[in-house]
Amino acid sequence: MVTKTRRRVPRLVWAGLGLVAAVLCGWTVEAAAAARLDPALLGVAAYVLVWVPLVVGLALSFAGETLRDAAAFLGLRFRPMDLLWGVGIGCLARAADALVRMAATGSTGLAPQPTLSSIGGLGVQAVALGIIAPVVIAPVLEETYFRGLVLRSLAGALGRLSAPARWATAVVITAAAFALVHALLLAGTPGEAVLTGVSTFLFALLAGAVAAATRRLGGAIVGHVVFNGLGVLLTWAV
């Protein structure tokens, strides 16, 4: 009796499908915004509908494997030096974002914004949607997905190149994908889309370079926390 071995779907395929699904789900929230639904509900939906495809993509990529094996592939490790790397790239990327916006619009874009006023002050909803979601959850999930799953899967798929060329190419492609997704989901106008794309691309290059150099995600996650955290801190409505 001849048994057939089931062919495993490449991780890179699941990663790509997850990103497409995340963008499409994010667009449904933007469409729903026209219905004037509760801002807090829309805020929760915006995060959940984008995050769920990423979580599913990760789960399918490592179906049948142990959490330990998945963590090892993704580089989910932290060393004390990662804190220094993270603070450095987070501050550098935020400064670069301010300079790009200043050059393009004459403003850094870091003035306080009343984006949370409709949620109601510094309450549970405001803290959850304005701080915990972008500064804690998003960095961990997005870095695990982009600098973990996507970057490492790309580096593996480019096996014919030399190691430096393979990782450098993977970093650039991953950064471009990261920037494109953010530009498509976070920007309201074409001009803002370009600025968002440039800003997130620069950050992703730095995060990817650190992840590739150290072979772990600690520095990239810390950098993402710092980058988003500074953005929230400097634009929080007072």
Side-chain angles (χ1 to χ4, degrees), residues 35-231:
R36 297 183 179 179
L37 299 176
D38 178 50
L41 178 62
L42 283 175
V44 172
Y47 281 116
V48 172
L49 288 179
V50 172
W51 287 346
V52 166
L54 301 186
V55 173
V56 172
L58 283 166
L60 291 174
S61 296
F62 298 99
E65 299 185 40
T66 66
L67 288 177
R68 184 171 184 176
D69 288 340
F73 176 87
L74 295 167
L76 278 170
R77 300 184 301 278
F78 180 84
R79 299 289 183 271
M81 182 60 71
D82 294 335
L83 185 62
L84 181 61
W85 279 115
V87 172
I89 65 173
C91 291
L92 182 59
R94 182 52 66 188
D97 170 64
L99 289 174
V100 168
R101 292 179 181 275
M102 177 67 75
T105 68
S107 169
T108 63
L110 294 176
Q113 302 292 329
T115 53
L116 296 175
S117 59
S118 58
I119 298 178
L122 195 63
V124 173
Q125 291 178 330
V127 171
L129 295 177
I131 299 177
I132 296 177
V135 181
V136 179
I137 301 176
V140 174
L141 178 57
E142 292 180 13
E143 291 309 313
T144 300
Y145 201 91
F146 284 95
R147 255 61 67 182
L149 176 60
V150 178
L151 176 62
R152 287 168 177 261
S153 296
L154 273 171
L158 297 170
R160 293 185 179 182
L161 300 177
S162 65
R166 183 170 70 245
W167 282 98
T169 303
V171 166
V172 173
I173 295 175
T174 302
F178 182 82
L180 179 61
V181 168
H182 281 75
L184 291 173
L185 291 176
L186 300 181
T189 65
E192 181 59 30
V194 172
L195 290 175
T196 298
V198 171
S199 172
T200 51
F201 180 71
L202 292 175
F203 165 76
L205 283 179
L206 293 172
V210 169
T214 62
R215 298 294 195 273
R216 56 182 182 269
L217 294 181
I221 292 174
V222 173
H224 204 145
V225 169
V226 172
F227 181 74
N228 285 6
L230 286 174

